[in-house]
Amino acid sequence: MTTQRTPVPEPGAQPSPSPAPETESTTVRTPRTARSWLRDHSELGVGALLLALGVLVLTDALTMDVDITQRGPVGPKTVPVVVGIGLLLVAVLLTVDVLRGGRGQAETGEDVDLGEPADWRTVLLLSGVFLGSAVLIDPLGFPAAGALLFWGAAYALGSRRVDRDPLIAAVLSLATYALFDKLLGVPLPGGPLMGVL
């Protein structure tokens, strides 16, 4: 009768690895849930928001009641239609890019210390300036309320040049008023100052 002997390893030799038991699949993959897929493609939310804004802007622009003979070929509808089409185009391109594997890049260019608290003073100042100009636009008119908006925003963001900032704000406000009211035909309230000028 013959017996089978197991080989004895030589001294200093490393033992050979035992063969792995054969299974159907050696790697276990966890199933992807809809939640993890949405987390990986979160930029689709930005695409959906841009799509909704584009539809809203186009709907408002196309339902605007404007007589073309009074306004000429470039009227109040032109800019909103161009902006709405641009929003829809960007939404479609962003969605296609995300579905093809595109990812947004992390912020690397700015010196932002995420450990610092938020600057709530600036946020509150800007909000107050914006709301104040929205309230004052009817009684003062757009040129005066716009000048206060531009000057207040510059002050809230740190500019303290009282010799220069009010003048720049007034020029910007008057230029914006002239562009929209006179050239594009979008009526803006002039206020009591426009009767003097």
Side-chain angles (χ1 to χ4, degrees):
M1 183 166 153
T2 59
T3 60
Q4 206 172 16
R5 291 176 44 183
T6 59
V8 178
E10 295 179 15
Q14 293 183 351
S16 63
S18 59
E22 290 195 23
T23 59
E24 290 180 15
S25 174
T26 56
T27 60
V28 177
R29 292 188 179 180
T30 57
R32 291 187 59 146
T33 62
R35 189 174 190 167
S36 67
W37 186 87
L38 285 174
R39 190 179 317 119
D40 291 342
H41 298 86
S42 60
E43 290 94 348
L44 289 175
V46 177
L49 178 65
L50 291 174
L51 182 70
L53 282 175
V55 168
L56 179 68
V57 168
L58 272 178
T59 303
D60 268 358
L62 295 176
T63 57
M64 191 184 301
D65 187 25
V66 176
D67 188 10
I68 192 74
T69 58
Q70 291 179 352
R71 301 293 180 188
V74 178
K77 283 186 176 185
T78 307
V79 173
V81 167
V82 170
V83 170
I85 291 172
L87 285 169
L88 292 178
L89 182 65
V90 169
V92 168
L93 291 175
L94 177 65
T95 303
V96 168
D97 181 53
V98 170
L99 291 177
R100 293 174 84 191
R103 302 275 307 170
Q105 293 182 0
E107 289 289 329
T108 57
E110 296 184 18
D111 286 335
V112 177
D113 186 8
L114 298 177
E116 289 291 317
D119 186 7
W120 288 108
R121 179 182 178 273
T122 303
V123 172
L124 291 174
L125 275 174
L126 281 173
S127 301
V129 165
F130 181 74
L131 290 174
S133 66
V135 168
L136 293 174
I137 197 168
D138 269 341
L140 294 182
F142 182 84
L148 290 174
L149 172 67
F150 292 136
W151 187 16
Y155 182 85
L157 293 173
S159 178
R160 300 295 185 261
R161 298 285 307 264
V162 293
D163 58 335
R164 175 188 72 183
D165 292 345
L167 180 62
I168 294 173
V171 168
L172 279 174
S173 181
L174 285 172
T176 305
Y177 176 79
L179 175 71
F180 279 90
D181 194 63
K182 305 300 182 199
L183 294 177
L184 294 176
V186 179
L188 294 175
L193 236 118
M194 287 293 96
V196 176
L197 298 177

